[in-house]
Amino acid sequence: MPRQHGPRRARIAFSDAAAKQVESLTSEADIHALDRALVVISVDPEAGDPIPGGPTGPRLREYTDAIERVRLLYWTSALGTIVVVAYIEV
């Protein structure tokens, strides 16, 4: 019997600015909160709310988890297989 796998997750990538923000995190609680938020958007890249913008450039989305107090700004690739995180607030 073949194993059933869950849905494929999108790959997470960070902009240079977001990578610097991740490097500056020192609190274990902040890292854990960020990990949970990243899992959410990797499983469902449409989880965040669209940010109104113009027709040019990537279509930004905002994911906010009020319980973990995390906010991410991100965009997804055309096929939704890569999520690029542009800004992190923990």
Side-chain angles (χ1 to χ4, degrees), residues 32-68:
H32 177 71
L34 175 60
D35 283 346
R36 289 176 53 98
L38 293 173
V39 167
V40 169
I41 64 171
S42 72
V43 171
D44 181 10
E46 302 290 316
D49 298 318
I51 296 175
T56 61
R59 300 191 73 127
L60 289 175
R61 299 185 75 82
E62 176 181 24
Y63 173 78
T64 303
D65 183 330
I67 295 170
E68 295 284 354

Side-chain angles (χ1 to χ4, degrees), residues 19-88:
K20 287 179 184 177
Q21 290 173 303
V22 170
E23 289 173 8
S24 70
L25 293 177
T26 57
S27 162
E28 191 72 29
D30 288 348
I31 294 169
H32 177 71
L34 175 60
D35 283 346
R36 289 176 53 98
L38 293 173
V39 167
V40 169
I41 64 171
S42 72
V43 171
D44 181 10
E46 302 290 316
D49 298 318
I51 296 175
T56 61
R59 300 191 73 127
L60 289 175
R61 299 185 75 82
E62 176 181 24
Y63 173 78
T64 303
D65 183 330
I67 295 170
E68 295 284 354
R69 294 194 279 178
V70 174
R71 180 174 168 238
L72 302 174
L73 297 181
Y74 67 96
W75 69 87
T76 61
S77 65
L79 298 176
T81 57
I82 299 174
V83 174
V84 180
V85 177
Y87 174 79
I88 299 167

